[in-house]
Amino acid sequence: MANLHRIQVVDSHTGGEPTRVVISGGPDLGTGPLSERVLRLGSQFDRFRSAVVNEPRGSDVLVGALLVSPHAPDCDFGVIFFNNVGSLGMCGHGTIGLMVTLAHLGRVRPGTHRIDTPVGPVSATLHPDGRVSVANVASYRQQASVSVEVPGIGVVLGDVAWGGNWFFLVRSPVWELSLQNVETLTDVSWRIRQAVNAQGFPEVDHVELFGPPASGGHSRNFVLCPGKAYDRSPCGTGTSAKLACLAADGKLEEGQSWIQEGILGSSFSGEYLWEDSARGRVLPVVTGSAHVIAEATLILSDEDPFQWGIRPT
Ligand code: PYC
């Protein structure tokens, strides 16, 4: 008789980018700060991560969200986000997906809820119309106008910024940001990331290209995530990093709205308040909407050679 382990999940998408929230059946990561529990997930339960998001149950683009008890005393929920290659500090589209999932399950009502993450607590407001606003962790630009020599491309100029994950925001892309061009955009972004990593920024694992808007926003982006999948949404943490750069450059005032389109044309609206203008730290708020698309039970059988998903050995 096969030994079966069941994991209850709810899937949603936020502007096209999927999130799989693990409701039950996840590993016991113990207690303590989520910054410590996320390390436990990586060191002791990495195959669980792979089983949930990788093929054959998932795909490179899927982001997982493990619901855990919060550590910060003012939080209602805790969450650890992960993808095809590891964990994420924060995830904007995932937090929007999480809130819509919790509402679907009857676990939250419209209002503001505090959510603990490995990089600190965030607030998520579920609006009566179903939109969600995420007040993210403080975001900032670490270095402006970094010039990198990218093999096969030449010199690329960009900013290194934190928005809950580390980003390289390319200042002057010449690539057309369209779905037809996704292979080239992926290749270019991956090469830029490697060059940025080699040039003293090993922490940068997301690359963000910008171009003119095509659906009424202020700008369109293409975001390459750590596992080489592109974000189908405008990327909540990437939009936070962008807001920090706009603020630092004096191009967006406190409280002014910025509409960031993603590569599919779906958009997030963002705005910020200064946390510390002398240090260039902003408190971004990113608003978007998500839709629940599946409720499912994942089955892990010890007779299945791919029970832990397909992952590099
Ligand atoms: O929305 O922050 C985000 C995100 C990060 C990676 C994929 N989406």
Side-chain angles (χ1 to χ4, degrees), residues 260-285:
Q260 184 64 61
E261 297 173 11
I263 189 72
L264 302 188
S266 54
S267 61
F268 289 159
S269 69
E271 57 187 53
Y272 73 89
L273 293 176
W274 284 111
E275 184 197 56
D276 183 344
S277 57
R279 291 166 63 213
R281 289 169 67 91
V282 300
L283 297 171
V285 178

Side-chain angles (χ1 to χ4, degrees), residues 16-201:
E17 178 78 352
T19 306
R20 174 165 286 171
V21 178
V22 175
I23 305 299
S24 65
D28 180 3
L29 300 177
T31 55
L34 269 64
S35 56
E36 290 171 10
R37 281 188 255 170
V38 71
L39 297 179
R40 237 167 271 150
L41 177 65
S43 60
Q44 295 174 33
F45 302 102
D46 194 56
R47 61 187 195 171
F48 162 82
R49 173 196 62 74
S50 170
V52 171
V53 293
N54 283 348
E55 294 178 15
R57 297 181 193 85
S59 75
D60 280 354
V61 67
L62 188 56
V63 169
L66 177 61
L67 262 182
V68 297
S69 59
H71 178 69
D74 64 337
C75 284
D76 312 300
F77 302 96
V79 65
I80 296 175
F81 293 107
F82 52 92
N83 65 11
N84 54 336
V85 290
S87 58
L88 292 162
M90 228 304 276
C91 183
H93 94 266
T95 305
I96 295 169
L98 171 65
M99 288 307 293
V100 167
T101 293
L102 291 171
H104 172 77
L105 295 172
R107 292 178 62 175
V108 296
R109 297 178 60 77
T112 298
H113 307 270
R114 292 280 285 165
I115 302 173
D116 208 358
T117 81
V119 293
V122 301
S123 291
T125 301
L126 176 65
H127 300 284
D129 65 2
R131 287 174 313 127
V132 176
S133 294
V134 180
N136 196 7
V137 293
S139 301
Y140 56 93
R141 179 163 69 189
Q142 178 174 284
Q143 200 161 322
S145 301
V146 176
S147 161
V148 279
E149 176 70 42
V150 184
I153 295 176
V155 173
V156 172
L157 207 62
D159 297 344
V160 174
W162 169 256
N165 294 299
W166 281 106
F167 288 83
F168 187 72
L169 298 92
V170 177
R171 276 181 169 237
S172 48
V174 289
W175 302 279
E176 185 200 313
L177 300 192
S178 69
L179 260 189
Q180 290 75 7
N181 212 14
V182 148
E183 262 182 54
T184 303
L185 297 172
T186 299
D187 175 57
V188 158
S189 303
W190 190 251
R191 280 196 269 163
I192 292 174
R193 175 186 162 179
Q194 286 172 320
V196 171
N197 290 162
Q199 207 166 296
F201 300 97

